[in-house]
Amino acid sequence: MIDDEKIIEMFFQRSEQGIRALDVKYGKICRNLSYNIVNNRQDAEECVNDAYLGAWNAIPPVRPDPLLSYIVKIVRNISLKIYWRKEAAAIRLL
């Protein structure tokens, strides 16, 4: 398994392999976290993909340490936005 520094270096080199390595290493954790918030597999997958895009846009110049905490925070925030949006829509229907 690739260590976090190498993954971050791939991001700095703008190599798409960095996203694949990030997904291999932390994808399951990210998808499980997102699913536990949004309770929908498709929405969870979309949140994780959006988080990868967010990390791609933020690295560089950011050099996150630790990488797991950084990506999980992005996934959590995106997932919560989706959850709140769906809850607000459900309340409007009442």
Side-chain angles (χ1 to χ4, degrees):
M1 187 152 312
I2 299 175
D3 71 341
D4 290 356
E5 271 303 310
K6 288 183 182 172
I7 294 172
I8 292 169
E9 268 314 304
M10 286 185 229
F11 273 81
F12 269 83
Q13 295 168 359
R14 306 314 285 168
S15 169
E16 291 179 18
Q17 188 66 27
I19 295 173
R20 284 188 216 97
L22 180 65
D23 187 55
V24 167
K25 189 164 186 181
Y26 297 126
K28 186 175 180 180
I29 294 168
C30 292
R31 280 186 282 283
N32 286 337
L33 169 67
S34 185
Y35 179 77
N36 286 334
I37 295 170
V38 298
N39 202 28
N40 180 296
R41 292 273 176 221
Q42 188 174 359
D43 287 345
E45 189 66 37
E46 183 103 8
C47 291
V48 171
N49 288 338
D50 288 349
Y52 291 164
L53 177 62
W56 180 261
N57 290 332
I59 305 170
V62 175
R63 189 175 284 275
D65 185 32
L67 181 58
L68 176 60
S69 298
Y70 184 78
I71 194 66
V72 164
K73 183 177 179 181
I74 296 172
V75 169
R76 182 199 66 203
N77 290 341
I78 292 171
S79 299
L80 285 172
K81 285 180 186 176
I82 296 295
Y83 172 79
W84 291 327
R85 189 175 305 140
K86 286 188 172 200
E87 283 296 307
I91 290 171
R92 275 186 265 148
L93 292 176
L94 296 176

